[in-house]
Amino acid sequence: MSIFAIEYVYGPEAEAERTEHRPAHRAWLVEQAAADVVLASGPYGDGAGALLIFQAPDEATLNEILKQDPMNLGGGVTGLKVSAWKPVIGQFSKYMS
């Protein structure tokens, strides 16, 4: 498995969509966390986006998973950056093989 840092960008033009889809988005994240796919997630303090830490076999699989997020489906995410991440120290390092 690989670890990925996903950065969601929340533009002001999609505030209504985020408000509408946030409950379903968070419920989906809880399901993904229970399946050990989401390792952490949360919004930035300034409200401009969120950071999500996922594990997946590869980036193609991750992208398919992200397409299921109600926030993405509903248009609440205005930008997205996916980066492979290799934590070597701390709690997330235990997920590296």
Side-chain angles (χ1 to χ4, degrees), residues 2 6-7 9 12 14-15 17 30 34 37 39 45 47-48 56-57 60-63 65 69-71 75 86 90 97:
S2 298
I6 299 96
E7 186 172 3
V9 176
E15 180 65 33
E17 289 84 353
V30 167
V37 174
L39 305 180
T61 302
L62 173 69
N63 288 329
I65 293 168
D69 183 348
M71 191 68 80
K86 296 183 183 194
S97 48

Side-chain angles (χ1 to χ4, degrees), residues 6 13 19 42 58 86:
I6 299 96
E13 68 276 14
T19 300
D58 52 52
K86 296 183 183 194

Side-chain angles (χ1 to χ4, degrees), residues 10-32:
Y10 296 157
E13 68 276 14
E15 180 65 33
E17 289 84 353
R18 279 191 303 284
T19 300
E20 177 183 350
H21 297 288
R22 186 171 288 118
H25 163 70
R26 288 191 174 162
W28 179 80
L29 287 171
V30 167
E31 291 173 8
Q32 298 304 309

Side-chain angles (χ1 to χ4, degrees), residues 49-84:
L51 178 65
L52 305 94
I53 307 295
F54 276 63
Q55 72 172 336
D58 52 52
E59 192 168 344
T61 302
L62 173 69
N63 288 329
E64 290 303 313
I65 293 168
L66 292 175
K67 287 179 185 177
Q68 300 168 24
D69 183 348
M71 191 68 80
N72 282 323
L73 291 169
V77 177
T78 56
L80 177 84
K81 179 182 178 189
V82 174
S83 300

